[in-house]
């Protein structure tokens, strides 16, 4: 029996996207929280908490995109055609955020507030449009004869905009719990204060999306609520609810635990998304096998992916280890 290279590539891309959402999510969240921390010194600490690692976090986004192009070219062509505008807007946000990150350190006291606003605006754009892309992807893409057959604004819907707001809240929660871990004193207290309402807000978003999605898509409802699937899948939402409660309890005194619990919530949400859509790479009906490139091409690219992934994991883990511990007031980020 031959190796199912399409399945292996699907797993690699899923892992890459999940790691991007988790890793880049908290540094986008730090930018989202800028308006809630007006002090210049505290904003410097917030920047310093992500400065050594934020560039490396986006490696996973590149890996996911490159993997999709190499392994599932049909999906790459259709998804980019359908979601071209929100993807461009997301990239503009990332560019604006990156420029603001660097320019802020060199700016004068008089102009620094402009770069603070740019950093927040870029973080908001990137976060919101990533959620919009996700919502539009879940809603399904019209494909005919192997091509995108919809219009340029098909991605605009109440569900996709709602998902944009939901992912923004999730990233803000990742950012606040990251700062609980990395800071102390007033800034940590402020993050604890912000985290509690963010947990409740994200819980409402998770509940709403969990109800909205099966109501809008019969196939997803069948996946979750038919027997015996219901017995096997019920523990997932129950575990998500319990994790949110543990997160709330840990906010008052925990340091690492709030961030860990937030990571668990994000992972469970990603797992639920995967269960809902599997095995389709272009919802609602094109599977990973229908969209895959020839097995020989996938196998060739797989060798490179299996070589590069351990390197990425190693330098990422080393960066987090080297820059572990609290960020102090005197620490700069350049």
């Amino acid at each position: 029996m031959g190796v199912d290279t399409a399945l292996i590539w699907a797993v690699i891309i899923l892992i890459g996207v999940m790691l991007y959402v988790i890793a880049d999510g908290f540094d986008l969240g730090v930018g989202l929280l800028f308006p809630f921390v007006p002090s210049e010194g505290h904003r410097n600490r917030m920047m310093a908490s992500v400065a050594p690692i934020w560039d490396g976090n986006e490696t996973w986004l590149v890996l996911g995109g490159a993997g999709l192009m190499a392994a599932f070219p049909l999906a790459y062509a259709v998804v980019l055609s359908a979601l071209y505008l929100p993807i461009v807007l997301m990239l503009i946000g990332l560019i604006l955020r990156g420029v603001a990150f660097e320019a802020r350190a060199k700016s004068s006291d008089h102009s620094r507030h402009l770069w603070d606003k740019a950093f927040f605006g870029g973080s908001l754009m990137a976060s919101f449009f990533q959620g919009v892309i996700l919502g539009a992807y879940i809603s399904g893409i019209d494909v005919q004869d192997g091509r995108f057959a919809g219009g340029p604004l098909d991605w605009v819907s109440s569900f996709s905009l709602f998902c944009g707001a939901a992912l923004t809240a999730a990233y803000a929660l990742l950012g606040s719990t990251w700062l609980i871990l990395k800071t102390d004193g007033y800034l940590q207290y402020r993050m604890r204060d912000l985290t509690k309402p963010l947990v409740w807000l994200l819980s409402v978003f998770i509940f709403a999306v969990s109800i909205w999605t099966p109501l809008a898509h019969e196939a997803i409802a069948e996946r979750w609520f038919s027997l015996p699937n219901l017995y096997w899948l019920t523990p997932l939402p129950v575990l998500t609810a319990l994790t949110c409660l543990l997160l709330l309890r840990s906010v008052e005194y925990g340091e690492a635990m709030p961030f860990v619990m937030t990571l668990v919530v994000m992972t469970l949400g990603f797992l639920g998304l995967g269960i809902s859509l599997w095995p389709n790479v272009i919802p609602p009906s094109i599977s990973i096998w229908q969209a895959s490139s020839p097995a020989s091409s996938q196998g060739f690219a797989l060798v490179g992916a299996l070589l590069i992934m351990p390197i990425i994991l190693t330098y990422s883990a080393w960066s987090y280890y080297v820059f572990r511990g609290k960020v102090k007031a005197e620490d700069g980020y350049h």
Side-chain angles (χ1 to χ4, degrees):
M1 190 169 85
V3 177
D4 191 342
T5 52
L7 179 60
I8 295 173
W9 264 112
V11 172
I12 290 174
I13 292 171
L14 286 171
I15 291 174
V17 172
M18 184 180 71
L19 289 175
Y20 169 75
V21 168
I22 289 173
D24 207 39
F26 69 77
D27 61 59
L28 284 167
V30 169
L32 292 171
L33 296 170
F34 251 44
F36 301 95
V37 184
S39 166
E40 183 68 26
H42 290 144
R43 287 183 175 184
N44 287 339
R45 292 182 71 187
M46 292 168 71
M47 298 287 261
S49 72
V50 298
I53 51 179
W54 76 281
D55 275 331
N57 290 340
E58 294 179 356
T59 305
W60 298 109
L61 180 63
V62 176
L63 176 67
L68 188 66
M69 181 178 66
F72 307 107
L74 175 62
Y76 183 85
V78 168
V79 171
L80 262 68
S81 298
L83 304 176
Y84 182 80
L85 286 175
I87 289 173
V88 168
L89 290 170
M90 177 198 73
L91 292 175
I92 290 173
L94 290 174
I95 292 169
L96 179 61
R97 181 174 172 274
V99 170
F101 195 99
E102 300 297 332
R104 183 182 183 276
K106 306 294 190 296
S107 63
S108 65
D109 294 340
H110 178 72
S111 63
R112 188 166 295 121
H113 72 97
L114 297 175
W115 294 113
D116 286 348
K117 291 179 175 65
F119 187 65
F120 165 73
S123 299
L124 180 60
M125 280 186 66
S127 302
F128 178 74
F129 282 106
Q130 283 180 23
V132 168
I133 291 166
L134 176 62
Y137 180 77
I138 295 171
S139 296
I141 299 173
D142 186 12
V143 180
Q144 295 180 14
D145 299 324
R147 297 181 179 181
F148 172 57
L153 296 179
D154 281 5
W155 55 274
V156 180
S157 69
S158 54
F159 181 73
S160 65
L161 297 177
F162 188 82
C163 287
L167 192 63
T168 301
Y171 283 174
L173 179 60
L174 276 170
S176 67
T177 53
W178 169 256
L179 290 170
I180 289 173
L181 172 65
K182 295 294 289 183
T183 63
D184 52 19
Y186 171 81
L187 184 54
Q188 186 188 68
Y189 174 81
R190 180 62 175 148
M191 290 303 114
R192 292 187 194 277
D193 197 42
L194 290 171
T195 296
K196 295 174 185 177
L198 284 171
V199 175
W200 285 111
L201 179 61
L202 181 59
S203 299
V204 170
F205 276 127
I206 292 173
F207 178 78
V209 170
S210 300
I211 298 299
W212 194 337
T213 305
L215 287 176
H217 305 281
E218 185 178 344
I220 294 177
E222 178 71 17
R223 174 71 55 85
W224 282 89
F225 299 115
S226 63
L227 296 177
N229 289 3
L230 181 63
Y231 301 135
W232 291 105
L233 299 179
T234 296
L236 186 63
V238 172
L239 185 58
T240 303
L242 290 175
T243 306
C244 288
L245 291 174
L246 288 173
L247 171 56
L248 276 172
R249 291 189 62 182
S250 68
V251 169
E252 196 67 38
Y253 302 107
E255 294 204 339
M257 190 56 68
F259 184 63
V260 171
M261 289 294 100
T262 305
L263 294 181
V264 173
V265 170
M266 297 292 290
T267 302
L268 290 172
F270 193 84
L271 181 59
L273 173 64
I275 291 171
S276 296
L277 298 180
W278 182 261
N280 296 324
V281 69
I282 308 177
S285 58
I286 297 180
S287 70
I288 58 173
W289 298 282
Q290 293 171 307
S292 65
S293 59
S296 57
S297 299
Q298 289 183 339
F300 179 78
L302 186 60
V303 174
L306 293 178
L307 287 174
I308 197 66
M309 284 189 70
I311 297 174
I312 299 173
L313 288 168
T314 299
Y315 79 64
S316 297
W318 180 248
S319 297
Y320 282 96
Y321 175 77
V322 169
F323 295 101
R324 67 192 183 280
K326 299 289 185 182
V327 177
K328 301 301 180 183
E330 62 272 13
D331 292 340
Y333 66 94
H334 272 77

